[in-house]
PDB file of all heavy atoms in Angstrom:
ATOM      1  N   GLY A  27      -4.621-155.010  -0.521  1.00  0.00           N
ATOM      2  CA  GLY A  27      -4.379-156.092  -1.338  1.00  0.00           C
ATOM      3  C   GLY A  27      -5.477-156.924  -1.823  1.00  0.00           C
ATOM      4  O   GLY A  27      -5.288-158.017  -2.449  1.00  0.00           O
ATOM      5  N   ALA A  28      -6.716-156.513  -1.572  1.00  0.00           N
ATOM      6  CA  ALA A  28      -7.896-157.229  -2.083  1.00  0.00           C
ATOM      7  C   ALA A  28      -8.094-156.963  -3.597  1.00  0.00           C
ATOM      8  O   ALA A  28      -8.759-157.703  -4.271  1.00  0.00           O
ATOM      9  CB  ALA A  28      -9.140-156.728  -1.366  1.00  0.00           C
ATOM     10  N   VAL A  29      -7.441-155.878  -4.064  1.00  0.00           N
ATOM     11  CA  VAL A  29      -7.557-155.559  -5.512  1.00  0.00           C
ATOM     12  C   VAL A  29      -6.164-155.404  -6.137  1.00  0.00           C
ATOM     13  O   VAL A  29      -5.270-154.749  -5.489  1.00  0.00           O
ATOM     14  CB  VAL A  29      -8.323-154.195  -5.645  1.00  0.00           C
ATOM     15  CG1 VAL A  29      -8.276-153.680  -7.075  1.00  0.00           C
ATOM     16  CG2 VAL A  29      -9.739-154.373  -5.196  1.00  0.00           C
ATOM     17  N   ASP A  30      -5.930-156.023  -7.258  1.00  0.00           N
ATOM     18  CA  ASP A  30      -4.655-155.850  -7.980  1.00  0.00           C
ATOM     19  C   ASP A  30      -4.596-154.603  -8.812  1.00  0.00           C
ATOM     20  O   ASP A  30      -3.532-153.984  -8.886  1.00  0.00           O
ATOM     21  CB  ASP A  30      -4.452-157.062  -8.918  1.00  0.00           C
ATOM     22  CG  ASP A  30      -4.448-158.390  -8.153  1.00  0.00           C
ATOM     23  OD1 ASP A  30      -3.819-158.470  -7.110  1.00  0.00           O
ATOM     24  OD2 ASP A  30      -5.047-159.345  -8.648  1.00  0.00           O
ATOM     25  N   ILE A  31      -5.719-154.261  -9.411  1.00  0.00           N
ATOM     26  CA  ILE A  31      -5.726-153.012 -10.256  1.00  0.00           C
ATOM     27  C   ILE A  31      -6.980-152.253  -9.862  1.00  0.00           C
ATOM     28  O   ILE A  31      -8.120-152.807  -9.835  1.00  0.00           O
ATOM     29  CB  ILE A  31      -5.827-153.327 -11.732  1.00  0.00           C
ATOM     30  CG1 ILE A  31      -4.533-154.023 -12.201  1.00  0.00           C
ATOM     31  CG2 ILE A  31      -6.066-152.087 -12.529  1.00  0.00           C
ATOM     32  CD1 ILE A  31      -4.527-154.422 -13.680  1.00  0.00           C
ATOM     33  N   ALA A  32      -6.837-151.019  -9.518  1.00  0.00           N
ATOM     34  CA  ALA A  32      -7.932-150.100  -9.188  1.00  0.00           C
ATOM     35  C   ALA A  32      -8.159-149.187 -10.394  1.00  0.00           C
ATOM     36  O   ALA A  32      -7.249-148.408 -10.747  1.00  0.00           O
ATOM     37  CB  ALA A  32      -7.675-149.270  -7.939  1.00  0.00           C
ATOM     38  N   TYR A  33      -9.332-149.276 -11.010  1.00  0.00           N
ATOM     39  CA  TYR A  33      -9.554-148.578 -12.270  1.00  0.00           C
ATOM     40  C   TYR A  33     -10.928-147.984 -12.325  1.00  0.00           C
ATOM     41  O   TYR A  33     -11.930-148.670 -12.234  1.00  0.00           O
ATOM     42  CB  TYR A  33      -9.365-149.553 -13.446  1.00  0.00           C
ATOM     43  CG  TYR A  33      -9.569-148.982 -14.758  1.00  0.00           C
ATOM     44  CD1 TYR A  33      -8.721-147.996 -15.299  1.00  0.00           C
ATOM     45  CD2 TYR A  33     -10.616-149.440 -15.592  1.00  0.00           C
ATOM     46  CE1 TYR A  33      -8.947-147.475 -16.491  1.00  0.00           C
ATOM     47  CE2 TYR A  33     -10.786-148.917 -16.878  1.00  0.00           C
ATOM     48  CZ  TYR A  33      -9.952-147.901 -17.317  1.00  0.00           C
ATOM     49  OH  TYR A  33     -10.129-147.324 -18.585  1.00  0.00           O
ATOM     50  N   GLN A  34     -11.036-146.634 -12.354  1.00  0.00           N
ATOM     51  CA  GLN A  34     -12.285-145.962 -12.482  1.00  0.00           C
ATOM     52  C   GLN A  34     -13.220-146.234 -11.296  1.00  0.00           C
ATOM     53  O   GLN A  34     -13.846-147.277 -11.250  1.00  0.00           O
ATOM     54  CB  GLN A  34     -12.993-146.419 -13.775  1.00  0.00           C
ATOM     55  CG  GLN A  34     -12.276-145.963 -15.061  1.00  0.00           C
ATOM     56  CD  GLN A  34     -12.365-144.499 -15.313  1.00  0.00           C
ATOM     57  OE1 GLN A  34     -13.432-143.864 -15.145  1.00  0.00           O
ATOM     58  NE2 GLN A  34     -11.327-143.863 -15.774  1.00  0.00           N
ATOM     59  N   SER A  35     -13.364-145.359 -10.401  1.00  0.00           N
ATOM     60  CA  SER A  35     -12.747-144.044 -10.338  1.00  0.00           C
ATOM     61  C   SER A  35     -12.423-143.763  -8.857  1.00  0.00           C
ATOM     62  O   SER A  35     -13.224-144.015  -7.959  1.00  0.00           O
ATOM     63  CB  SER A  35     -13.695-142.966 -10.794  1.00  0.00           C
ATOM     64  OG  SER A  35     -14.046-143.175 -12.146  1.00  0.00           O
ATOM     65  N   LEU A  36     -11.256-143.262  -8.633  1.00  0.00           N
ATOM     66  CA  LEU A  36     -10.792-142.800  -7.337  1.00  0.00           C
ATOM     67  C   LEU A  36     -10.894-141.300  -7.189  1.00  0.00           C
ATOM     68  O   LEU A  36     -10.848-140.561  -8.166  1.00  0.00           O
ATOM     69  CB  LEU A  36      -9.345-143.283  -7.122  1.00  0.00           C
ATOM     70  CG  LEU A  36      -9.115-144.771  -7.060  1.00  0.00           C
ATOM     71  CD1 LEU A  36      -7.623-145.076  -7.132  1.00  0.00           C
ATOM     72  CD2 LEU A  36      -9.719-145.351  -5.783  1.00  0.00           C
ATOM     73  N   LEU A  37     -10.995-140.831  -5.953  1.00  0.00           N
ATOM     74  CA  LEU A  37     -11.049-139.392  -5.691  1.00  0.00           C
ATOM     75  C   LEU A  37      -9.652-138.800  -5.843  1.00  0.00           C
ATOM     76  O   LEU A  37      -8.643-139.466  -5.630  1.00  0.00           O
ATOM     77  CB  LEU A  37     -11.587-139.129  -4.276  1.00  0.00           C
ATOM     78  CG  LEU A  37     -13.020-139.645  -4.023  1.00  0.00           C
ATOM     79  CD1 LEU A  37     -13.391-139.398  -2.558  1.00  0.00           C
ATOM     80  CD2 LEU A  37     -13.985-139.016  -4.948  1.00  0.00           C
ATOM     81  N   ALA A  38      -9.654-137.486  -6.104  1.00  0.00           N
ATOM     82  CA  ALA A  38      -8.343-136.854  -6.368  1.00  0.00           C
ATOM     83  C   ALA A  38      -7.365-137.032  -5.166  1.00  0.00           C
ATOM     84  O   ALA A  38      -6.184-137.244  -5.405  1.00  0.00           O
ATOM     85  CB  ALA A  38      -8.595-135.362  -6.643  1.00  0.00           C
ATOM     86  N   PRO A  39      -7.770-136.828  -3.895  1.00  0.00           N
ATOM     87  CA  PRO A  39      -6.799-137.022  -2.812  1.00  0.00           C
ATOM     88  C   PRO A  39      -6.266-138.461  -2.709  1.00  0.00           C
ATOM     89  O   PRO A  39      -5.134-138.674  -2.425  1.00  0.00           O
ATOM     90  CB  PRO A  39      -7.638-136.654  -1.565  1.00  0.00           C
ATOM     91  CG  PRO A  39      -8.746-135.831  -2.037  1.00  0.00           C
ATOM     92  CD  PRO A  39      -9.068-136.347  -3.369  1.00  0.00           C
ATOM     93  N   GLN A  40      -7.181-139.424  -3.047  1.00  0.00           N
ATOM     94  CA  GLN A  40      -6.678-140.818  -3.092  1.00  0.00           C
ATOM     95  C   GLN A  40      -5.655-141.046  -4.240  1.00  0.00           C
ATOM     96  O   GLN A  40      -4.617-141.729  -3.990  1.00  0.00           O
ATOM     97  CB  GLN A  40      -7.855-141.728  -3.330  1.00  0.00           C
ATOM     98  CG  GLN A  40      -8.900-141.730  -2.155  1.00  0.00           C
ATOM     99  CD  GLN A  40     -10.232-142.350  -2.518  1.00  0.00           C
ATOM    100  OE1 GLN A  40     -10.462-142.631  -3.662  1.00  0.00           O
ATOM    101  NE2 GLN A  40     -11.014-142.611  -1.478  1.00  0.00           N
ATOM    102  N   VAL A  41      -5.878-140.451  -5.385  1.00  0.00           N
ATOM    103  CA  VAL A  41      -4.942-140.551  -6.534  1.00  0.00           C
ATOM    104  C   VAL A  41      -3.602-139.933  -6.134  1.00  0.00           C
ATOM    105  O   VAL A  41      -2.540-140.476  -6.414  1.00  0.00           O
ATOM    106  CB  VAL A  41      -5.520-139.871  -7.795  1.00  0.00           C
ATOM    107  CG1 VAL A  41      -4.476-139.813  -8.884  1.00  0.00           C
ATOM    108  CG2 VAL A  41      -6.763-140.647  -8.253  1.00  0.00           C
ATOM    109  N   ARG A  42      -3.708-138.779  -5.516  1.00  0.00           N
ATOM    110  CA  ARG A  42      -2.452-138.056  -5.073  1.00  0.00           C
ATOM    111  C   ARG A  42      -1.677-138.955  -4.107  1.00  0.00           C
ATOM    112  O   ARG A  42      -0.433-139.090  -4.262  1.00  0.00           O
ATOM    113  CB  ARG A  42      -2.790-136.736  -4.465  1.00  0.00           C
ATOM    114  CG  ARG A  42      -1.578-135.914  -4.041  1.00  0.00           C
ATOM    115  CD  ARG A  42      -1.937-134.479  -3.730  1.00  0.00           C
ATOM    116  NE  ARG A  42      -2.851-134.463  -2.601  1.00  0.00           N
ATOM    117  CZ  ARG A  42      -4.154-133.992  -2.679  1.00  0.00           C
ATOM    118  NH1 ARG A  42      -4.585-133.615  -3.850  1.00  0.00           N
ATOM    119  NH2 ARG A  42      -4.854-133.931  -1.643  1.00  0.00           N
ATOM    120  N   LYS A  43      -2.308-139.555  -3.127  1.00  0.00           N
ATOM    121  CA  LYS A  43      -1.610-140.429  -2.188  1.00  0.00           C
ATOM    122  C   LYS A  43      -0.948-141.649  -2.868  1.00  0.00           C
ATOM    123  O   LYS A  43       0.169-141.960  -2.583  1.00  0.00           O
ATOM    124  CB  LYS A  43      -2.585-140.897  -1.089  1.00  0.00           C
ATOM    125  CG  LYS A  43      -1.928-141.714   0.029  1.00  0.00           C
ATOM    126  CD  LYS A  43      -2.928-141.987   1.127  1.00  0.00           C
ATOM    127  CE  LYS A  43      -2.290-142.593   2.342  1.00  0.00           C
ATOM    128  NZ  LYS A  43      -1.561-143.855   2.148  1.00  0.00           N
ATOM    129  N   LEU A  44      -1.713-142.261  -3.804  1.00  0.00           N
ATOM    130  CA  LEU A  44      -1.182-143.380  -4.537  1.00  0.00           C
ATOM    131  C   LEU A  44      -0.044-143.045  -5.408  1.00  0.00           C
ATOM    132  O   LEU A  44       0.962-143.794  -5.545  1.00  0.00           O
ATOM    133  CB  LEU A  44      -2.326-144.084  -5.317  1.00  0.00           C
ATOM    134  CG  LEU A  44      -3.416-144.744  -4.509  1.00  0.00           C
ATOM    135  CD1 LEU A  44      -4.466-145.278  -5.489  1.00  0.00           C
ATOM    136  CD2 LEU A  44      -2.861-145.876  -3.639  1.00  0.00           C
ATOM    137  N   ARG A  45      -0.107-141.889  -6.021  1.00  0.00           N
ATOM    138  CA  ARG A  45       1.047-141.438  -6.848  1.00  0.00           C
ATOM    139  C   ARG A  45       2.282-141.220  -5.992  1.00  0.00           C
ATOM    140  O   ARG A  45       3.392-141.592  -6.401  1.00  0.00           O
ATOM    141  CB  ARG A  45       0.657-140.140  -7.621  1.00  0.00           C
ATOM    142  CG  ARG A  45      -0.416-140.356  -8.648  1.00  0.00           C
ATOM    143  CD  ARG A  45      -0.862-139.040  -9.262  1.00  0.00           C
ATOM    144  NE  ARG A  45       0.118-138.485 -10.192  1.00  0.00           N
ATOM    145  CZ  ARG A  45      -0.110-137.310 -10.786  1.00  0.00           C
ATOM    146  NH1 ARG A  45      -1.199-136.611 -10.610  1.00  0.00           N
ATOM    147  NH2 ARG A  45       0.822-136.870 -11.653  1.00  0.00           N
ATOM    148  N   THR A  46       2.131-140.623  -4.834  1.00  0.00           N
ATOM    149  CA  THR A  46       3.218-140.439  -3.926  1.00  0.00           C
ATOM    150  C   THR A  46       3.839-141.735  -3.516  1.00  0.00           C
ATOM    151  O   THR A  46       5.057-141.924  -3.530  1.00  0.00           O
ATOM    152  CB  THR A  46       2.797-139.641  -2.685  1.00  0.00           C
ATOM    153  OG1 THR A  46       2.281-138.362  -3.099  1.00  0.00           O
ATOM    154  CG2 THR A  46       3.928-139.477  -1.714  1.00  0.00           C
ATOM    155  N   GLU A  47       3.025-142.668  -3.153  1.00  0.00           N
ATOM    156  CA  GLU A  47       3.472-143.995  -2.724  1.00  0.00           C
ATOM    157  C   GLU A  47       4.022-144.846  -3.902  1.00  0.00           C
ATOM    158  O   GLU A  47       4.934-145.663  -3.690  1.00  0.00           O
ATOM    159  CB  GLU A  47       2.358-144.743  -1.971  1.00  0.00           C
ATOM    160  CG  GLU A  47       2.009-144.053  -0.659  1.00  0.00           C
ATOM    161  CD  GLU A  47       0.810-144.716   0.007  1.00  0.00           C
ATOM    162  OE1 GLU A  47       0.021-145.370  -0.666  1.00  0.00           O
ATOM    163  OE2 GLU A  47       0.612-144.496   1.205  1.00  0.00           O
ATOM    164  N   ALA A  48       3.545-144.580  -5.098  1.00  0.00           N
ATOM    165  CA  ALA A  48       4.157-145.289  -6.240  1.00  0.00           C
ATOM    166  C   ALA A  48       5.544-144.875  -6.474  1.00  0.00           C
ATOM    167  O   ALA A  48       6.406-145.654  -6.855  1.00  0.00           O
ATOM    168  CB  ALA A  48       3.274-145.006  -7.480  1.00  0.00           C
ATOM    169  N   ALA A  49       5.836-143.545  -6.210  1.00  0.00           N
ATOM    170  CA  ALA A  49       7.185-143.052  -6.355  1.00  0.00           C
ATOM    171  C   ALA A  49       8.146-143.734  -5.361  1.00  0.00           C
ATOM    172  O   ALA A  49       9.344-143.766  -5.521  1.00  0.00           O
ATOM    173  CB  ALA A  49       7.236-141.558  -6.184  1.00  0.00           C
ATOM    174  N   GLN A  50       7.547-144.256  -4.230  1.00  0.00           N
ATOM    175  CA  GLN A  50       8.334-144.943  -3.191  1.00  0.00           C
ATOM    176  C   GLN A  50       8.431-146.442  -3.488  1.00  0.00           C
ATOM    177  O   GLN A  50       9.003-147.162  -2.701  1.00  0.00           O
ATOM    178  CB  GLN A  50       7.630-144.695  -1.801  1.00  0.00           C
ATOM    179  CG  GLN A  50       7.543-143.201  -1.409  1.00  0.00           C
ATOM    180  CD  GLN A  50       6.623-142.995  -0.220  1.00  0.00           C
ATOM    181  OE1 GLN A  50       6.095-143.993   0.322  1.00  0.00           O
ATOM    182  NE2 GLN A  50       6.506-141.751   0.232  1.00  0.00           N
ATOM    183  N   GLY A  51       7.846-146.841  -4.559  1.00  0.00           N
ATOM    184  CA  GLY A  51       8.009-148.284  -5.035  1.00  0.00           C
ATOM    185  C   GLY A  51       6.942-149.188  -4.438  1.00  0.00           C
ATOM    186  O   GLY A  51       7.076-150.383  -4.569  1.00  0.00           O
ATOM    187  N   LYS A  52       5.893-148.653  -3.869  1.00  0.00           N
ATOM    188  CA  LYS A  52       4.868-149.507  -3.278  1.00  0.00           C
ATOM    189  C   LYS A  52       3.966-150.160  -4.290  1.00  0.00           C
ATOM    190  O   LYS A  52       3.494-151.264  -4.130  1.00  0.00           O
ATOM    191  CB  LYS A  52       4.012-148.722  -2.278  1.00  0.00           C
ATOM    192  CG  LYS A  52       4.709-148.353  -0.981  1.00  0.00           C
ATOM    193  CD  LYS A  52       3.834-147.666  -0.001  1.00  0.00           C
ATOM    194  CE  LYS A  52       4.531-147.395   1.328  1.00  0.00           C
ATOM    195  NZ  LYS A  52       3.644-146.774   2.334  1.00  0.00           N
TER     196      LYS A  52
END
C-alpha cells in the first residue's frame, strides 16, 4: 500500500501474480 500505481517496470513473475490477484478483485 505504499504505492497506488506501479508503472514501469515489474518482472514477469510479479506481473503474473498481480494479474491473478486482480482477477480476485484485489
Side-chain angles (χ1 to χ4, degrees):
V29 171
D30 299 315
I31 294 178
Y33 180 63
Q34 295 286 320
S35 297
L36 294 168
L37 299 177
Q40 297 167 345
V41 172
R42 183 168 60 247
K43 186 175 190 299
L44 292 176
R45 290 173 76 181
T46 299
E47 293 174 339
Q50 300 168 0
K52 290 186 176 181

